[in-house]
Amino acid sequence: MEETGWTPDMALGIPLFDEAHEALAEQIKTLMHSKDEDFAAGLEQLVDCLEADFRHEETLMEAIDYPALHSHREQHARVLSKLNQLDLDDLKNCRSTVGLVLPWFHAHLATADTALAIALQMSGLNLDDAAKAN
């Protein structure tokens, strides 16, 4: 089955999130189709972008005292841990593992990030100011 990158139904209605998430989904898809010799650099770039996106989300969760902060942060940590533990000498396993990130990402957006988006909208936090602070 062909993996799907960003689709309009993944939008959370928060431009700051939607733009970052669209870029991440496309980056994952691109990495899956990268040449073997480009994979390590692409994986490093993906991990860096995921870390930045996750850190931003977690900062916003802290700002609104989000009740599901710990479980949401744990989901982020598990994905990063798996990606950071990959053995680049086993490219087949690396590609297989990265191939699981996009379905996880779709599910994470539909559940944890959707709940976070609702909480952020209800909090009244000025997301434009919060984005500038990061």
mmCIF file of all heavy atoms in Angstrom, residues 78-110:
data_model
loop_
_atom_site.group_PDB
_atom_site.id
_atom_site.type_symbol
_atom_site.label_atom_id
_atom_site.label_comp_id
_atom_site.label_asym_id
_atom_site.label_seq_id
_atom_site.Cartn_x
_atom_site.Cartn_y
_atom_site.Cartn_z
ATOM 1 N N ARG A 78 8.826 8.286 22.427
ATOM 2 C CA ARG A 78 8.935 6.933 21.865
ATOM 3 C C ARG A 78 9.357 6.971 20.400
ATOM 4 O O ARG A 78 10.204 6.180 19.972
ATOM 5 C CB ARG A 78 7.608 6.188 21.995
ATOM 6 C CG ARG A 78 7.382 5.626 23.356
ATOM 7 C CD ARG A 78 6.208 4.656 23.328
ATOM 8 N NE ARG A 78 5.536 4.720 24.604
ATOM 9 C CZ ARG A 78 4.238 4.747 24.782
ATOM 10 N NH1 ARG A 78 3.424 4.701 23.753
ATOM 11 N NH2 ARG A 78 3.725 4.806 25.975
ATOM 12 N N VAL A 79 8.761 7.855 19.636
ATOM 13 C CA VAL A 79 9.101 7.944 18.221
ATOM 14 C C VAL A 79 10.554 8.386 18.054
ATOM 15 O O VAL A 79 11.312 7.785 17.295
ATOM 16 C CB VAL A 79 8.148 8.915 17.482
ATOM 17 C CG1 VAL A 79 8.649 9.218 16.080
ATOM 18 C CG2 VAL A 79 6.756 8.323 17.433
ATOM 19 N N LEU A 80 10.948 9.418 18.777
ATOM 20 C CA LEU A 80 12.330 9.894 18.677
ATOM 21 C C LEU A 80 13.317 8.830 19.122
ATOM 22 O O LEU A 80 14.377 8.654 18.508
ATOM 23 C CB LEU A 80 12.512 11.169 19.493
ATOM 24 C CG LEU A 80 11.821 12.404 18.926
ATOM 25 C CD1 LEU A 80 11.905 13.558 19.906
ATOM 26 C CD2 LEU A 80 12.406 12.777 17.572
ATOM 27 N N SER A 81 12.991 8.105 20.167
ATOM 28 C CA SER A 81 13.863 7.049 20.657
ATOM 29 C C SER A 81 14.086 5.980 19.585
ATOM 30 O O SER A 81 15.217 5.567 19.329
ATOM 31 C CB SER A 81 13.274 6.413 21.922
ATOM 32 O OG SER A 81 14.062 5.330 22.339
ATOM 33 N N LYS A 82 13.014 5.550 18.958
ATOM 34 C CA LYS A 82 13.127 4.536 17.897
ATOM 35 C C LYS A 82 13.993 5.043 16.747
ATOM 36 O O LYS A 82 14.854 4.318 16.239
ATOM 37 C CB LYS A 82 11.747 4.154 17.353
ATOM 38 C CG LYS A 82 11.000 3.207 18.219
ATOM 39 C CD LYS A 82 11.644 1.850 18.189
ATOM 40 C CE LYS A 82 10.852 0.867 19.003
ATOM 41 N NZ LYS A 82 11.582 -0.332 19.310
ATOM 42 N N LEU A 83 13.764 6.273 16.337
ATOM 43 C CA LEU A 83 14.535 6.814 15.217
ATOM 44 C C LEU A 83 16.001 7.003 15.580
ATOM 45 O O LEU A 83 16.888 6.755 14.762
ATOM 46 C CB LEU A 83 13.918 8.132 14.741
ATOM 47 C CG LEU A 83 12.539 8.010 14.087
ATOM 48 C CD1 LEU A 83 11.985 9.388 13.758
ATOM 49 C CD2 LEU A 83 12.576 7.126 12.850
ATOM 50 N N ASN A 84 16.262 7.421 16.808
ATOM 51 C CA ASN A 84 17.649 7.632 17.239
ATOM 52 C C ASN A 84 18.408 6.327 17.452
ATOM 53 O O ASN A 84 19.637 6.325 17.448
ATOM 54 C CB ASN A 84 17.692 8.485 18.505
ATOM 55 C CG ASN A 84 17.478 9.944 18.208
ATOM 56 O OD1 ASN A 84 18.055 10.491 17.282
ATOM 57 N ND2 ASN A 84 16.631 10.584 18.997
ATOM 58 N N GLN A 85 17.702 5.238 17.624
ATOM 59 C CA GLN A 85 18.343 3.938 17.845
ATOM 60 C C GLN A 85 18.583 3.153 16.559
ATOM 61 O O GLN A 85 19.157 2.072 16.591
ATOM 62 C CB GLN A 85 17.495 3.085 18.785
ATOM 63 C CG GLN A 85 17.449 3.589 20.198
ATOM 64 C CD GLN A 85 16.506 2.776 21.068
ATOM 65 O OE1 GLN A 85 16.121 1.663 20.746
ATOM 66 N NE2 GLN A 85 16.119 3.346 22.195
ATOM 67 N N LEU A 86 18.168 3.698 15.438
ATOM 68 C CA LEU A 86 18.327 2.971 14.180
ATOM 69 C C LEU A 86 19.789 2.748 13.838
ATOM 70 O O LEU A 86 20.624 3.639 14.026
ATOM 71 C CB LEU A 86 17.643 3.733 13.038
ATOM 72 C CG LEU A 86 16.122 3.721 13.060
ATOM 73 C CD1 LEU A 86 15.570 4.626 11.956
ATOM 74 C CD2 LEU A 86 15.582 2.311 12.912
ATOM 75 N N ASP A 87 20.081 1.561 13.335
ATOM 76 C CA ASP A 87 21.420 1.204 12.878
ATOM 77 C C ASP A 87 21.482 1.486 11.383
ATOM 78 O O ASP A 87 20.882 0.766 10.585
ATOM 79 C CB ASP A 87 21.680 -0.279 13.164
ATOM 80 C CG ASP A 87 23.022 -0.760 12.659
ATOM 81 O OD1 ASP A 87 23.804 0.046 12.116
ATOM 82 O OD2 ASP A 87 23.288 -1.971 12.802
ATOM 83 N N LEU A 88 22.195 2.516 11.005
ATOM 84 C CA LEU A 88 22.249 2.931 9.607
ATOM 85 C C LEU A 88 22.938 1.908 8.710
ATOM 86 O O LEU A 88 22.874 2.015 7.482
ATOM 87 C CB LEU A 88 22.910 4.301 9.482
ATOM 88 C CG LEU A 88 22.081 5.448 10.057
ATOM 89 C CD1 LEU A 88 22.887 6.737 10.108
ATOM 90 C CD2 LEU A 88 20.804 5.636 9.254
ATOM 91 N N ASP A 89 23.584 0.911 9.303
ATOM 92 C CA ASP A 89 24.158 -0.175 8.512
ATOM 93 C C ASP A 89 23.084 -1.161 8.054
ATOM 94 O O ASP A 89 23.338 -1.988 7.187
ATOM 95 C CB ASP A 89 25.241 -0.918 9.309
ATOM 96 C CG ASP A 89 26.472 -0.057 9.533
ATOM 97 O OD1 ASP A 89 26.766 0.801 8.663
ATOM 98 O OD2 ASP A 89 27.135 -0.233 10.567
ATOM 99 N N ASP A 90 21.920 -1.090 8.660
ATOM 100 C CA ASP A 90 20.788 -1.942 8.287
ATOM 101 C C ASP A 90 19.714 -1.066 7.644
ATOM 102 O O ASP A 90 18.688 -0.752 8.243
ATOM 103 C CB ASP A 90 20.250 -2.659 9.528
ATOM 104 C CG ASP A 90 19.169 -3.668 9.209
ATOM 105 O OD1 ASP A 90 18.741 -3.757 8.033
ATOM 106 O OD2 ASP A 90 18.722 -4.360 10.145
ATOM 107 N N LEU A 91 19.978 -0.670 6.412
ATOM 108 C CA LEU A 91 19.115 0.276 5.720
ATOM 109 C C LEU A 91 17.707 -0.269 5.513
ATOM 110 O O LEU A 91 16.734 0.488 5.572
ATOM 111 C CB LEU A 91 19.745 0.668 4.381
ATOM 112 C CG LEU A 91 19.347 1.997 3.791
ATOM 113 C CD1 LEU A 91 19.485 3.136 4.792
ATOM 114 C CD2 LEU A 91 20.162 2.292 2.559
ATOM 115 N N LYS A 92 17.601 -1.554 5.302
ATOM 116 C CA LYS A 92 16.273 -2.154 5.103
ATOM 117 C C LYS A 92 15.413 -1.939 6.355
ATOM 118 O O LYS A 92 14.255 -1.534 6.273
ATOM 119 C CB LYS A 92 16.391 -3.638 4.789
ATOM 120 C CG LYS A 92 15.069 -4.303 4.524
ATOM 121 C CD LYS A 92 15.237 -5.761 4.166
ATOM 122 C CE LYS A 92 13.873 -6.406 3.958
ATOM 123 N NZ LYS A 92 13.980 -7.832 3.673
ATOM 124 N N ASN A 93 15.971 -2.193 7.526
ATOM 125 C CA ASN A 93 15.248 -1.978 8.785
ATOM 126 C C ASN A 93 14.969 -0.493 9.014
ATOM 127 O O ASN A 93 13.893 -0.126 9.495
ATOM 128 C CB ASN A 93 16.021 -2.567 9.965
ATOM 129 C CG ASN A 93 15.272 -2.396 11.264
ATOM 130 O OD1 ASN A 93 14.140 -2.833 11.409
ATOM 131 N ND2 ASN A 93 15.910 -1.736 12.220
ATOM 132 N N CYS A 94 15.927 0.345 8.667
ATOM 133 C CA CYS A 94 15.732 1.795 8.814
ATOM 134 C C CYS A 94 14.537 2.257 7.991
ATOM 135 O O CYS A 94 13.675 2.981 8.488
ATOM 136 C CB CYS A 94 16.980 2.551 8.365
ATOM 137 S SG CYS A 94 18.388 2.421 9.474
ATOM 138 N N ARG A 95 14.493 1.831 6.749
ATOM 139 C CA ARG A 95 13.382 2.231 5.879
ATOM 140 C C ARG A 95 12.057 1.678 6.396
ATOM 141 O O ARG A 95 11.033 2.356 6.359
ATOM 142 C CB ARG A 95 13.628 1.782 4.442
ATOM 143 C CG ARG A 95 14.686 2.598 3.738
ATOM 144 C CD ARG A 95 14.751 2.258 2.252
ATOM 145 N NE ARG A 95 15.821 2.983 1.609
ATOM 146 C CZ ARG A 95 15.730 4.231 1.161
ATOM 147 N NH1 ARG A 95 14.608 4.905 1.320
ATOM 148 N NH2 ARG A 95 16.746 4.815 0.571
ATOM 149 N N SER A 96 12.094 0.467 6.880
ATOM 150 C CA SER A 96 10.878 -0.148 7.425
ATOM 151 C C SER A 96 10.377 0.641 8.632
ATOM 152 O O SER A 96 9.179 0.917 8.752
ATOM 153 C CB SER A 96 11.172 -1.599 7.809
ATOM 154 O OG SER A 96 10.059 -2.173 8.419
ATOM 155 N N THR A 97 11.288 1.019 9.506
ATOM 156 C CA THR A 97 10.915 1.779 10.697
ATOM 157 C C THR A 97 10.392 3.161 10.324
ATOM 158 O O THR A 97 9.351 3.596 10.834
ATOM 159 C CB THR A 97 12.119 1.901 11.660
ATOM 160 O OG1 THR A 97 12.525 0.575 12.040
ATOM 161 C CG2 THR A 97 11.765 2.697 12.899
ATOM 162 N N VAL A 98 11.082 3.855 9.444
ATOM 163 C CA VAL A 98 10.618 5.171 9.015
ATOM 164 C C VAL A 98 9.261 5.037 8.319
ATOM 165 O O VAL A 98 8.403 5.918 8.452
ATOM 166 C CB VAL A 98 11.660 5.861 8.107
ATOM 167 C CG1 VAL A 98 11.091 7.129 7.470
ATOM 168 C CG2 VAL A 98 12.914 6.196 8.908
ATOM 169 N N GLY A 99 9.039 3.926 7.639
ATOM 170 C CA GLY A 99 7.753 3.682 7.005
ATOM 171 C C GLY A 99 6.604 3.605 7.991
ATOM 172 O O GLY A 99 5.447 3.832 7.636
ATOM 173 N N LEU A 100 6.905 3.304 9.236
ATOM 174 C CA LEU A 100 5.878 3.251 10.275
ATOM 175 C C LEU A 100 5.591 4.623 10.878
ATOM 176 O O LEU A 100 4.570 4.807 11.543
ATOM 177 C CB LEU A 100 6.306 2.288 11.388
ATOM 178 C CG LEU A 100 6.474 0.831 10.970
ATOM 179 C CD1 LEU A 100 7.067 0.014 12.123
ATOM 180 C CD2 LEU A 100 5.153 0.244 10.505
ATOM 181 N N VAL A 101 6.475 5.579 10.658
ATOM 182 C CA VAL A 101 6.302 6.898 11.253
ATOM 183 C C VAL A 101 5.113 7.631 10.634
ATOM 184 O O VAL A 101 4.345 8.277 11.350
ATOM 185 C CB VAL A 101 7.587 7.750 11.141
ATOM 186 C CG1 VAL A 101 7.357 9.168 11.656
ATOM 187 C CG2 VAL A 101 8.726 7.083 11.916
ATOM 188 N N LEU A 102 4.932 7.516 9.330
ATOM 189 C CA LEU A 102 3.832 8.252 8.691
ATOM 190 C C LEU A 102 2.460 7.752 9.169
ATOM 191 O O LEU A 102 1.624 8.578 9.533
ATOM 192 C CB LEU A 102 3.957 8.195 7.173
ATOM 193 C CG LEU A 102 3.153 9.227 6.403
ATOM 194 C CD1 LEU A 102 3.402 10.646 6.884
ATOM 195 C CD2 LEU A 102 3.472 9.131 4.913
ATOM 196 N N PRO A 103 2.213 6.440 9.236
ATOM 197 C CA PRO A 103 0.929 6.010 9.808
ATOM 198 C C PRO A 103 0.769 6.442 11.271
ATOM 199 O O PRO A 103 -0.323 6.837 11.688
ATOM 200 C CB PRO A 103 0.950 4.484 9.682
ATOM 201 C CG PRO A 103 1.939 4.194 8.623
ATOM 202 C CD PRO A 103 2.944 5.312 8.668
ATOM 203 N N TRP A 104 1.865 6.398 12.046
ATOM 204 C CA TRP A 104 1.805 6.885 13.422
ATOM 205 C C TRP A 104 1.436 8.370 13.429
ATOM 206 O O TRP A 104 0.597 8.808 14.213
ATOM 207 C CB TRP A 104 3.146 6.689 14.145
ATOM 208 C CG TRP A 104 3.157 7.366 15.477
ATOM 209 C CD1 TRP A 104 2.699 6.862 16.650
ATOM 210 C CD2 TRP A 104 3.592 8.711 15.763
ATOM 211 N NE1 TRP A 104 2.828 7.807 17.654
ATOM 212 C CE2 TRP A 104 3.372 8.942 17.135
ATOM 213 C CE3 TRP A 104 4.144 9.720 14.990
ATOM 214 C CZ2 TRP A 104 3.697 10.156 17.745
ATOM 215 C CZ3 TRP A 104 4.462 10.933 15.591
ATOM 216 C CH2 TRP A 104 4.241 11.135 16.964
ATOM 217 N N PHE A 105 2.066 9.120 12.546
ATOM 218 C CA PHE A 105 1.836 10.560 12.467
ATOM 219 C C PHE A 105 0.374 10.855 12.164
ATOM 220 O O PHE A 105 -0.238 11.714 12.789
ATOM 221 C CB PHE A 105 2.770 11.148 11.405
ATOM 222 C CG PHE A 105 2.875 12.641 11.414
ATOM 223 C CD1 PHE A 105 3.227 13.331 12.563
ATOM 224 C CD2 PHE A 105 2.646 13.363 10.263
ATOM 225 C CE1 PHE A 105 3.345 14.710 12.566
ATOM 226 C CE2 PHE A 105 2.761 14.745 10.245
ATOM 227 C CZ PHE A 105 3.106 15.419 11.406
ATOM 228 N N HIS A 106 -0.194 10.115 11.215
ATOM 229 C CA HIS A 106 -1.620 10.294 10.893
ATOM 230 C C HIS A 106 -2.479 10.049 12.126
ATOM 231 O O HIS A 106 -3.378 10.838 12.438
ATOM 232 C CB HIS A 106 -2.037 9.339 9.764
ATOM 233 C CG HIS A 106 -1.652 9.800 8.403
ATOM 234 N ND1 HIS A 106 -2.520 10.452 7.571
ATOM 235 C CD2 HIS A 106 -0.488 9.696 7.725
ATOM 236 C CE1 HIS A 106 -1.900 10.737 6.431
ATOM 237 N NE2 HIS A 106 -0.675 10.288 6.504
ATOM 238 N N ALA A 107 -2.213 8.962 12.836
ATOM 239 C CA ALA A 107 -3.002 8.627 14.035
ATOM 240 C C ALA A 107 -2.780 9.657 15.142
ATOM 241 O O ALA A 107 -3.725 10.055 15.836
ATOM 242 C CB ALA A 107 -2.638 7.230 14.525
ATOM 243 N N HIS A 108 -1.551 10.085 15.324
ATOM 244 C CA HIS A 108 -1.213 11.069 16.360
ATOM 245 C C HIS A 108 -1.937 12.395 16.090
ATOM 246 O O HIS A 108 -2.470 13.017 17.013
ATOM 247 C CB HIS A 108 0.301 11.263 16.400
ATOM 248 C CG HIS A 108 0.777 12.188 17.477
ATOM 249 N ND1 HIS A 108 0.831 11.829 18.801
ATOM 250 C CD2 HIS A 108 1.230 13.464 17.409
ATOM 251 C CE1 HIS A 108 1.293 12.852 19.513
ATOM 252 N NE2 HIS A 108 1.545 13.854 18.692
ATOM 253 N N LEU A 109 -1.958 12.818 14.837
ATOM 254 C CA LEU A 109 -2.659 14.056 14.487
ATOM 255 C C LEU A 109 -4.157 13.931 14.751
ATOM 256 O O LEU A 109 -4.784 14.867 15.250
ATOM 257 C CB LEU A 109 -2.437 14.402 13.012
ATOM 258 C CG LEU A 109 -1.086 14.989 12.646
ATOM 259 C CD1 LEU A 109 -0.965 15.135 11.129
ATOM 260 C CD2 LEU A 109 -0.859 16.320 13.312
ATOM 261 N N ALA A 110 -4.708 12.767 14.428
ATOM 262 C CA ALA A 110 -6.160 12.565 14.563
ATOM 263 C C ALA A 110 -6.605 12.444 16.015
ATOM 264 O O ALA A 110 -7.776 12.663 16.320
ATOM 265 C CB ALA A 110 -6.583 11.322 13.788
#
